[in-house]
Amino acid sequence: MKENPLHLFHEPLDLQSETFETTEMGVDGEGIDGGTLFTDSISEAELVSLRNKMFGAITVQKNLAEAKSRKKHLILSYLRVAAVFGLVAVYSYLFWTARQPDFISYETQPGEVARFELPDGTKITLNGNSKLSYANSHWTTFDRKVQMEGEAYFEVAKTSDPQRFHINEGDPFAVEVFGTTFNMKNMQDLFAVGLIEGSVKINLNKEGIGHEEAYFLEPGELAKFDGNSRKLTVEPHKNLDRISAWKEGKLKLKEDDLQEVLAIIGEIYGLEVVLASNELDLKKVTGTLPIGSDFHEMAANLSILFDKQIAYKEHTLTIY
């Protein structure tokens, strides 16, 4: 009898390296050609090993497919998370940008007088060549803090908000008020506040950082501060309405120093005023000087008031 090749196996069956013969199975369990079935000539252990290898190969393919599927889902999950973080970042930036306040500014030309009202109801009259600005946000209420250069007349509204009204907070000469009326100048190194009614607190800051000294004004008092000498003087004033007469387009003068009057005129019109003669330095001035947007008319009135010749050239006004 011909020896069956399967009887020669001494090592575990390797489907990838070994070859073997099979016969077609008949209905009665024998090969069609009468040969012996493959399973009849293999031991139970070898059959178990063969089955394990077959199912192992199927399992490996299944695991590879599942691994690819998991990797695909993981990548999609990362992309979704990245998209969410991207949207959050964009929204946060837009939200932060929208919350940044805009600055509203009012600015007058030389000789011009402007009137307007702040969000809290405070009324402002702004003198010529002056500027007032404040932060404005759609997300927050008006914080009652303004910056002012030049000269302005304030009628600060009384509100239920305990927040006091601040002008030039943090500057060398700052004002803190609550429901009051006053006139304020902030012209280069000359600062002045004339209190008509209410209460005003003046804060003198050292180099603009931290409060150094604080003074409280009473109605009828005029405070002047020299930025060069850092000297503050507070004295009663008989007629403070005269100080704010510029609101009606005129300067009311009564024994005022000529140098100070010329400084005011220079600030209102954005000019440099020069005295050609030293004899005018100590001169006192009394009278009413009309002021307005017409500079040439003002210069003519100034010449009549001082009884002096006046020349104008390149933003310089010279009095002879």
Side-chain angles (χ1 to χ4, degrees):
M1 177 182 293
K2 184 178 179 180
E3 186 177 5
N4 193 319
L6 293 177
H7 292 168
L8 300 177
F9 291 167
H10 299 288
E11 298 295 331
L13 184 62
D14 187 345
L15 294 178
Q16 295 181 354
S17 59
E18 300 290 345
T19 58
F20 49 86
E21 296 180 0
T22 60
T23 58
E24 188 177 356
M25 183 180 293
V27 177
D28 56 357
E30 295 183 353
I32 295 177
D33 57 357
T36 305
L37 289 175
F38 171 73
T39 54
D40 292 339
S41 59
I42 189 171
S43 67
E44 184 69 23
E46 290 174 330
L47 182 60
V48 170
S49 176
L50 177 61
R51 288 174 178 173
N52 289 341
K53 288 185 177 183
M54 292 175 64
F55 284 114
I58 295 174
T59 302
V60 168
Q61 294 298 324
K62 181 180 179 182
N63 290 342
L64 287 175
E66 291 178 350
K68 290 181 179 179
S69 178
R70 285 196 300 270
K71 184 177 181 181
K72 180 179 179 181
H73 284 294
L74 186 61
I75 293 175
L76 291 176
S77 298
Y78 283 147
L79 291 176
R80 292 191 189 100
V81 172
V84 170
F85 275 107
L87 289 175
V88 170
V90 171
Y91 177 79
S92 299
Y93 173 77
L94 294 176
F95 181 75
W96 178 84
T97 303
R99 288 184 64 90
Q100 298 308 300
D102 297 323
F103 283 88
I104 295 179
S105 297
Y106 295 90
E107 191 167 358
T108 54
Q109 299 300 316
E112 178 188 8
V113 174
R115 294 175 174 83
F116 52 91
E117 188 172 304
L118 299 181
D120 67 340
T122 295
K123 296 179 180 179
I124 306 292
T125 304
L126 198 61
N127 203 353
N129 201 34
S130 301
K131 180 180 179 180
L132 184 142
S133 60
Y134 63 91
N136 178 60
S137 174
H138 297 292
W139 299 87
T140 58
T141 58
F142 175 50
D143 61 4
R144 310 194 80 194
K145 296 179 180 180
V146 302
Q147 294 293 122
M148 193 275 291
E149 300 173 9
E151 185 171 20
Y153 185 83
F154 292 83
E155 297 174 77
V156 179
K158 295 180 180 180
T159 67
S160 58
D161 186 354
Q163 174 67 42
R164 290 183 179 270
F165 194 93
H166 292 265
I167 306 172
N168 297 347
E169 185 180 39
D171 285 3
F173 185 88
V175 173
E176 183 179 345
V177 300
F178 185 78
T180 186
T181 303
F182 61 97
N183 191 85
M184 179 176 175
K185 293 180 184 179
N186 177 14
M187 298 179 174
Q188 295 183 356
D189 293 319
L190 176 63
F191 308 89
V193 173
L195 180 60
I196 297 173
E197 64 178 43
S199 177
V200 164
K201 178 184 177 183
I202 296 175
N203 296 316
L204 299 183
N205 301 326
K206 185 176 182 180
E207 297 181 354
I209 302 176
H211 291 168
E212 184 182 38
E213 296 175 319
Y215 296 88
F216 290 88
L217 293 185
E218 295 182 358
E221 288 185 330
L222 175 65
K224 294 182 180 180
F225 178 72
D226 188 324
N228 293 319
S229 64
R230 297 192 61 81
K231 181 181 179 181
L232 176 71
T233 59
V234 179
E235 56 187 17
H237 200 284
K238 294 181 180 180
N239 189 1
L240 286 178
D241 289 337
R242 182 167 62 85
I243 295 177
S244 58
W246 56 264
K247 296 187 296 153
E248 283 72 45
K250 53 190 174 183
L251 289 180
K252 290 184 177 181
L253 310 172
K254 185 177 181 180
E255 292 297 313
D256 289 302
D257 292 336
L258 177 59
Q259 288 281 19
E260 186 174 331
V261 174
L262 295 179
I264 294 173
I265 293 174
E267 290 291 343
I268 292 176
Y269 290 94
L271 302 172
E272 180 183 359
V273 182
V274 178
L275 291 175
S277 174
N278 293 333
E279 67 181 33
L280 297 175
D281 287 349
L282 302 178
K283 185 177 179 62
K284 301 290 185 178
V285 183
T286 299
T288 300
L289 177 65
I291 56 175
S293 58
D294 190 336
F295 163 75
H296 297 286
E297 181 180 349
M298 184 280 302
N301 292 328
L302 194 63
S303 177
I304 295 173
L305 180 64
F306 294 157
D307 192 22
K308 296 292 182 179
Q309 295 294 321
I310 294 179
Y312 172 73
K313 184 179 180 180
E314 297 179 353
H315 299 286
T316 300
L317 195 68
T318 305
I319 301 176
Y320 296 94

Coordinates of all heavy atoms in Angstrom, one line a residue, residues 31-67:
G31 N -13.5 9.5 0.4 CA -13.1 10.2 -0.8 C -13.8 9.6 -2.0 O -14.1 8.4 -2.0
I32 N -14.0 10.5 -3.0 CA -14.7 10.0 -4.2 C -13.9 8.9 -4.9 O -14.4 8.0 -5.4 CB -15.0 11.2 -5.1 CG1 -16.0 12.1 -4.5 CG2 -15.5 10.7 -6.5 CD1 -16.2 13.4 -5.3
D33 N -12.6 9.0 -4.8 CA -11.8 8.0 -5.4 C -11.4 6.9 -4.5 O -10.6 6.1 -4.8 CB -10.5 8.6 -5.9 CG -9.7 9.3 -4.8 OD1 -10.2 9.3 -3.6 OD2 -8.6 9.9 -5.0
G34 N -12.2 6.9 -3.3 CA -12.0 5.8 -2.4 C -10.8 6.0 -1.4 O -10.5 5.1 -0.7
G35 N -10.2 7.1 -1.5 CA -9.1 7.4 -0.6 C -9.5 7.7 0.8 O -10.7 7.9 1.1
T36 N -8.5 7.9 1.6 CA -8.8 8.2 3.0 C -8.9 9.7 3.2 O -8.2 10.5 2.7 CB -7.6 7.7 3.9 OG1 -7.4 6.3 3.7 CG2 -7.9 7.9 5.4
L37 N -9.9 10.2 4.0 CA -10.1 11.6 4.3 C -8.9 12.2 5.1 O -8.3 11.5 5.8 CB -11.4 11.8 5.1 CG -12.7 11.6 4.4 CD1 -13.9 11.7 5.4 CD2 -12.9 12.5 3.2
F38 N -8.7 13.5 4.9 CA -7.6 14.2 5.5 C -7.7 14.1 7.0 O -6.8 13.9 7.7 CB -7.6 15.7 5.0 CG -6.6 16.5 5.8 CD1 -5.2 16.4 5.6 CD2 -7.1 17.5 6.7 CE1 -4.4 17.2 6.3 CE2 -6.2 18.2 7.4 CZ -4.8 18.1 7.2
T39 N -9.0 14.3 7.5 CA -9.2 14.3 9.0 C -9.0 12.9 9.6 O -8.9 12.8 10.8 CB -10.6 14.9 9.3 OG1 -11.5 14.1 8.6 CG2 -10.7 16.3 8.9
D40 N -9.1 11.9 8.7 CA -8.9 10.6 9.3 C -7.4 10.2 9.5 O -7.1 9.3 10.3 CB -9.5 9.5 8.3 CG -11.0 9.6 8.3 OD1 -11.6 10.2 9.3 OD2 -11.6 9.2 7.3
S41 N -6.5 11.0 8.8 CA -5.1 10.6 8.9 C -4.3 11.6 9.7 O -3.1 11.6 9.7 CB -4.5 10.6 7.5 OG -4.7 11.8 6.9
I42 N -5.0 12.6 10.4 CA -4.3 13.6 11.3 C -4.7 13.4 12.7 O -5.9 13.0 13.0 CB -4.6 15.0 10.8 CG1 -3.7 16.0 11.5 CG2 -6.1 15.4 11.0 CD1 -3.9 17.4 10.9
S43 N -3.8 13.6 13.6 CA -4.1 13.4 15.0 C -5.0 14.5 15.5 O -5.1 15.6 14.9 CB -2.8 13.4 15.8 OG -2.1 14.7 15.7
E44 N -5.5 14.3 16.7 CA -6.4 15.3 17.3 C -5.7 16.5 17.6 O -6.2 17.7 17.4 CB -7.1 14.7 18.5 CG -8.1 15.6 19.2 CD -9.3 15.7 18.4 OE1 -9.6 14.8 17.6 OE2 -10.1 16.7 18.5
A45 N -4.5 16.4 18.1 CA -3.7 17.6 18.5 C -3.3 18.4 17.2 O -3.4 19.7 17.3 CB -2.4 17.1 19.2
E46 N -3.0 17.7 16.1 CA -2.7 18.4 14.9 C -3.9 19.1 14.3 O -3.8 20.2 13.8 CB -2.1 17.5 13.9 CG -0.7 17.0 14.3 CD -0.2 15.9 13.3 OE1 -1.0 15.2 12.7 OE2 1.0 15.9 13.1
L47 N -5.1 18.5 14.5 CA -6.3 19.1 14.0 C -6.6 20.3 14.8 O -7.0 21.4 14.2 CB -7.4 18.1 14.1 CG -8.8 18.5 13.6 CD1 -8.7 18.9 12.1 CD2 -9.9 17.4 13.8
V48 N -6.5 20.3 16.1 CA -6.7 21.5 16.9 C -5.8 22.6 16.6 O -6.2 23.8 16.5 CB -6.6 21.1 18.4 CG1 -6.6 22.3 19.3 CG2 -7.7 20.1 18.8
S49 N -4.5 22.2 16.3 CA -3.5 23.3 16.0 C -3.9 23.9 14.6 O -3.7 25.1 14.5 CB -2.1 22.6 15.9 OG -1.2 23.6 15.4
L50 N -4.3 23.1 13.7 CA -4.7 23.6 12.4 C -5.9 24.5 12.5 O -5.9 25.6 11.9 CB -5.1 22.4 11.5 CG -5.6 22.8 10.1 CD1 -4.5 23.6 9.3 CD2 -5.9 21.6 9.3
R51 N -6.9 24.1 13.3 CA -8.0 25.0 13.5 C -7.6 26.3 14.1 O -8.1 27.4 13.7 CB -9.1 24.3 14.3 CG -9.8 23.2 13.6 CD -10.7 22.4 14.5 NE -11.4 21.4 13.9 CZ -12.2 20.4 14.5 NH1 -12.3 20.5 15.8 NH2 -12.8 19.5 13.8
N52 N -6.8 26.2 15.1 CA -6.3 27.5 15.8 C -5.6 28.4 14.9 O -5.8 29.6 14.9 CB -5.4 27.1 17.0 CG -6.1 26.5 18.1 OD1 -7.4 26.6 18.2 ND2 -5.4 25.8 19.0
K53 N -4.8 27.8 14.0 CA -4.1 28.7 13.0 C -5.1 29.3 12.0 O -4.9 30.5 11.7 CB -3.0 27.9 12.3 CG -1.8 27.6 13.2 CD -0.8 26.9 12.4 CE 0.5 26.6 13.3 NZ 1.6 26.0 12.5
M54 N -6.0 28.6 11.6 CA -7.0 29.1 10.7 C -7.8 30.2 11.3 O -8.0 31.3 10.7 CB -7.9 28.0 10.2 CG -7.3 27.0 9.3 SD -8.4 25.6 8.9 CE -9.6 26.5 7.9
F55 N -8.3 30.0 12.5 CA -9.1 31.0 13.2 C -8.2 32.2 13.6 O -8.7 33.3 13.6 CB -9.8 30.4 14.4 CG -11.0 29.6 14.1 CD1 -11.0 28.2 14.3 CD2 -12.1 30.2 13.5 CE1 -12.1 27.5 14.0 CE2 -13.2 29.4 13.2 CZ -13.2 28.0 13.4
G56 N -6.9 31.9 13.9 CA -6.0 33.0 14.3 C -5.8 33.9 13.1 O -5.7 35.1 13.3
A57 N -5.7 33.3 11.9 CA -5.5 34.2 10.7 C -6.7 35.1 10.5 O -6.6 36.2 10.1 CB -5.2 33.3 9.5
I58 N -7.9 34.4 10.7 CA -9.1 35.2 10.5 C -9.2 36.3 11.6 O -9.5 37.5 11.3 CB -10.3 34.3 10.6 CG1 -10.3 33.3 9.4 CG2 -11.6 35.1 10.6 CD1 -11.4 32.3 9.5
T59 N -8.8 36.0 12.8 CA -8.8 37.0 13.9 C -7.9 38.2 13.6 O -8.2 39.3 13.9 CB -8.5 36.3 15.2 OG1 -9.4 35.2 15.5 CG2 -8.5 37.3 16.4
V60 N -6.7 37.8 13.1 CA -5.7 38.9 12.8 C -6.2 39.9 11.8 O -6.1 41.1 11.9 CB -4.4 38.3 12.3 CG1 -3.5 39.4 11.7 CG2 -3.7 37.5 13.4
Q61 N -6.9 39.3 10.7 CA -7.5 40.2 9.7 C -8.6 41.1 10.3 O -8.7 42.2 10.0 CB -8.0 39.3 8.6 CG -6.9 38.6 7.8 CD -6.0 39.6 7.1 OE1 -6.4 40.7 6.6 NE2 -4.7 39.2 7.0
K62 N -9.4 40.4 11.2 CA -10.5 41.2 11.8 C -9.9 42.3 12.7 O -10.4 43.4 12.7 CB -11.3 40.2 12.6 CG -12.5 40.9 13.3 CD -13.3 39.9 14.1 CE -14.5 40.6 14.8 NZ -15.3 39.6 15.6
N63 N -8.8 41.9 13.5 CA -8.2 42.9 14.4 C -7.6 44.1 13.6 O -7.7 45.3 14.0 CB -7.2 42.3 15.2 CG -7.8 41.4 16.3 OD1 -9.0 41.4 16.6 ND2 -7.0 40.5 16.8
L64 N -7.0 43.8 12.4 CA -6.4 44.8 11.6 C -7.5 45.8 11.1 O -7.4 47.0 11.1 CB -5.7 44.2 10.4 CG -4.3 43.6 10.8 CD1 -3.8 42.9 9.5 CD2 -3.4 44.6 11.3
A65 N -8.6 45.2 10.7 CA -9.8 46.0 10.2 C -10.3 46.9 11.3 O -10.6 48.1 11.1 CB -10.9 45.1 9.6
E66 N -10.4 46.3 12.5 CA -11.0 47.1 13.7 C -10.0 48.2 14.1 O -10.4 49.3 14.4 CB -11.2 46.1 14.8 CG -12.4 45.2 14.6 CD -12.6 44.2 15.8 OE1 -11.7 44.2 16.7 OE2 -13.6 43.5 15.8
A67 N -8.7 47.9 14.0 CA -7.7 48.9 14.3 C -7.7 50.1 13.4 O -7.6 51.2 13.8 CB -6.3 48.3 14.3

